[in-house]
Amino acid sequence: MPESPFPVRSVAVPAQSRIADFFEHTCLADAYEIRLPPGTSTDPEALARFVLSQQAPWMAGLMRVRDALVAGFGLKTSRMLTDPPDARATRRIGIFRIFETHANEIVLGEDDKHLDFRLSLMRQTQGSASGDEATLTLSTTVHCHNALGRGYILLIAPFHRHIVQSMLHRAARAGWPQRATA
């Protein structure tokens, strides 16, 4: 597979992100950044929908295994998350509830009895010698309520990191959604 001209980098959760200090105590906090090509959409919800739709086929198998394991503990399965009882009251992107949408960031996540988590997709622009460069940072923070949550995070953290990086790589290869023109 050829190297992407836009590699994914592990970075700190951006201090200006709404999830940077969301939880008083976090059991997991990570962030991955990718440079966006010129002309890419500036709409964080469109970018989130695009990135989260870029799942490799093997991810569905992992979700089936996860669902089989967590159902026995009374935790929310992907089906419960995709079609929750309060679906009419909450906006969602797949299994993720949309908590906040701002001009450059969207905050998604879920709360459950074992842990709460938030995802942020934040588009940032920095000046450079060649003009403005845009990046997209996908950050995750998790707060665990109990030993089950801490064990769950310990088990899934390596998969989570691989999944996030894979989705960003796949989004770059697929071609980012373009900015709407007037």
Side-chain angles (χ1 to χ4, degrees), residues 1-175:
M1 174 170 44
E3 183 63 29
S4 169
F6 302 106
V8 175
R9 300 182 321 127
S10 176
V11 295
V13 174
Q16 64 274 32
S17 172
R18 296 214 180 258
I19 69 167
D21 297 319
F22 188 82
F23 298 117
E24 187 174 344
H25 302 286
T26 58
C27 297
L28 178 128
D30 62 24
Y32 294 91
E33 177 183 86
I34 190 166
R35 191 166 51 90
L36 297 172
T40 300
S41 175
T42 59
D43 178 7
E45 185 171 337
L47 292 170
R49 288 185 185 283
F50 184 73
V51 168
L52 295 173
S53 73
Q54 301 302 314
Q55 294 189 5
W58 54 264
M59 290 183 205
L62 279 180
M63 283 303 283
R64 284 191 297 276
V65 170
R66 178 225 174 253
D67 286 348
L69 294 173
V70 303
F73 292 99
L75 304 179
K76 295 175 184 172
T77 64
S78 58
R79 175 169 285 190
M80 296 165 97
L81 294 170
T82 303
D83 191 20
D86 65 346
R88 294 183 196 270
T90 61
R91 291 181 47 229
R92 302 188 83 77
I93 298 176
I95 64 171
F96 304 108
R97 178 178 169 200
I98 299 174
F99 280 93
E100 303 176 29
T101 304
H102 303 278
N104 69 334
E105 181 179 26
I106 185 167
V107 176
L108 312 165
E110 194 61 52
D111 298 333
D112 206 345
K113 64 183 178 182
H114 66 308
L115 60 77
D116 300 339
F117 71 91
R118 296 296 180 269
L119 301 176
S120 160
L121 283 94
M122 175 182 273
R123 185 183 182 283
Q124 300 177 84
T125 306
Q126 297 117 13
S128 70
S130 60
D132 286 340
E133 278 192 8
T135 58
L136 181 68
T137 306
L138 195 161
S139 306
T140 307
T141 58
V142 179
H143 170 74
C144 296
H145 298 296
N146 51 38
L148 177 60
R150 288 185 293 280
Y152 178 80
I153 284 302
L154 187 62
L155 180 66
I156 67 126
F159 298 102
H160 156 78
R161 291 181 182 106
H162 188 64
I163 287 168
V164 169
Q165 292 175 71
S166 173
M167 286 190 304
L168 289 170
H169 279 294
R170 289 173 66 87
R173 282 195 308 271

